[in-house]
Amino acid sequence: MFKFSSASFIQIIGLLGGFFTPLSAAMFHTIDTTFPLICTFSSKYQNRVMVEKGKIQKVIAADEGRLSIFMEELSGQAFICARDQDPEDTTISVVTETGLVQDLQITFVERLPEVVILTDPMLEKQNQEEEDIQEKAAESHVIDKISDILMGNIPQGYIPCQ
């Protein structure tokens, strides 16, 4: 026969509750202008769509009367909520500042809010090029310091120590 203390019982209930709690997390997706991204949004709370290291220029929705779409200009993010109690599936188009368009096919369910983080391949390429330049500059800096040491010189900005 099993004996549970009240603390054990509460831990078991908490553990079981974790299995049945709807999970919510950020959804990461590289923009693909040829296919819609299938999304499940909260029917009760506002959902957020953003472009990593970029901005959303505008959101286009054919049935704007059923959706509330707020564009936050400073961050370039879009906040989307359903106005109906039982919203129907819909599609919106997100236009980035670089002119790419990602369609989102949205199904609304009762869940926690969704965050969709889109990656713009154009911005990703620019960021990678900038990171490569910074990495090469750092490597060059280190090689210059090592060359100074190998020639018997103390690199500028350093002092000798025992």
Side-chain angles (χ1 to χ4, degrees), residues 101-112:
V101 178
Q102 177 65 62
D103 296 320
L104 304 181
Q105 185 176 330
I106 302 170
T107 300
F108 290 98
V109 297
E110 195 168 314
R111 62 170 288 174
L112 294 172

Side-chain angles (χ1 to χ4, degrees), residues 3-113:
K3 291 187 179 183
F4 292 107
S5 69
S6 60
S8 297
F9 183 73
I10 291 172
Q11 289 174 339
I12 290 171
I13 295 299
L15 181 64
L16 290 175
F19 288 118
F20 300 108
T21 303
L23 298 176
S24 178
M27 176 182 207
F28 292 86
H29 178 73
T30 300
I31 294 173
D32 182 351
T33 60
T34 60
F35 291 101
L37 175 60
I38 310 298
C39 299
T40 304
F41 277 13
S42 171
S43 59
K44 294 175 72 174
Y45 306 105
Q46 75 180 10
N47 304 278
R48 184 165 50 104
V49 181
M50 63 178 283
V51 176
E52 186 175 14
K53 298 181 183 173
K55 292 186 176 189
I56 294 173
Q57 193 67 34
K58 63 181 165 180
V59 176
I60 301 167
D63 50 359
E64 287 182 4
R66 295 186 311 133
L67 298 174
S68 175
I69 301 171
F70 175 74
M71 291 294 304
E72 202 288 309
E73 291 183 29
L74 186 61
S75 67
Q77 298 183 33
F79 298 86
I80 301 165
C81 0
R83 289 185 178 170
D84 300 336
Q85 292 288 0
D86 189 23
E88 295 179 23
D89 294 359
T90 190
T91 302
I92 63 172
S93 299
V94 175
V95 183
T96 69
E97 65 186 338
T98 60
L100 291 179
V101 178
Q102 177 65 62
D103 296 320
L104 304 181
Q105 185 176 330
I106 302 170
T107 300
F108 290 98
V109 297
E110 195 168 314
R111 62 170 288 174
L112 294 172

Side-chain angles (χ1 to χ4, degrees), residues 140-160:
S140 175
H141 177 74
V142 170
I143 290 171
D144 289 346
K145 299 298 179 196
I146 292 172
S147 295
D148 282 347
I149 293 169
L150 291 175
M151 291 190 310
N153 300 326
I154 298 171
Q156 186 175 357
Y158 292 83
I159 58 170

